[in-house]
Amino acid sequence: AVPRDGAVPPGALGPALPGWVVRAALAAAVVMMVLAVAGWTSVSPFGLLVVVLAGGSAAALPSSHAATAFLAVCALCGLAADGAITGWLSLAVLGAHATHVAAALAAVVPMRARVERAALRPALRRFALAQAAGQVLVLLAWALS
């Protein structure tokens, strides 16, 4: 139990989340990236199937290199895009970064473990700052195209 003043005694676990929440975040990021690829690129049904299978592998096996393969396949699909910068690109930037961060966390947090929310704060802060910069660049590129 956490005291009323919010101070956590040394060695005690502060407010925590179950480890499966990190896997759920990875799955959500994968779905976001699949939607971005499907909306932004003119990928064939077979290419989309490859993206979905690679994404499923990434969510199921986060400690493998499946997330790297998934992001590589998505990047290849993006290269096949017609070059137009749309709102889908913004979602792709968000999805790729979220997949990368969530896969890194899911690789080290067992599903049955509990992860202290305070331990996730630095990663979330870096994610938010990088996304802010990335989204500004997408908006700038969109405005200039």
Side-chain angles (χ1 to χ4, degrees), residues 17-144:
L17 298 169
W20 62 263
V21 170
V22 178
R23 289 273 176 102
L26 174 57
V30 164
V31 168
M32 182 186 332
M33 193 64 196
V34 169
L35 291 173
V37 166
W40 183 43
T41 68
S42 56
V43 66
S44 69
F46 176 75
L48 193 56
L49 178 65
V50 171
V51 169
V52 169
L53 291 175
S57 298
L61 305 166
S63 59
S64 70
H65 291 289
T68 304
F70 169 67
L71 291 174
V73 169
C74 291
L76 289 173
C77 290
L79 289 174
D82 63 359
I85 296 175
T86 67
W88 289 109
L89 177 58
S90 182
L91 187 65
V93 168
L94 176 64
H97 190 203
T99 298
H100 172 71
V101 171
L105 290 171
V108 296
V109 176
M111 282 204 22
R112 293 190 178 122
R114 296 196 50 80
V115 61
E116 199 167 357
R117 285 190 280 169
L120 296 174
R121 220 171 273 129
L124 291 174
R125 192 174 297 124
R126 284 189 302 271
F127 176 81
L129 288 172
Q131 271 309 299
Q135 295 301 330
V136 165
L137 288 176
V138 169
L139 288 173
L140 181 63
W142 196 359
L144 294 175

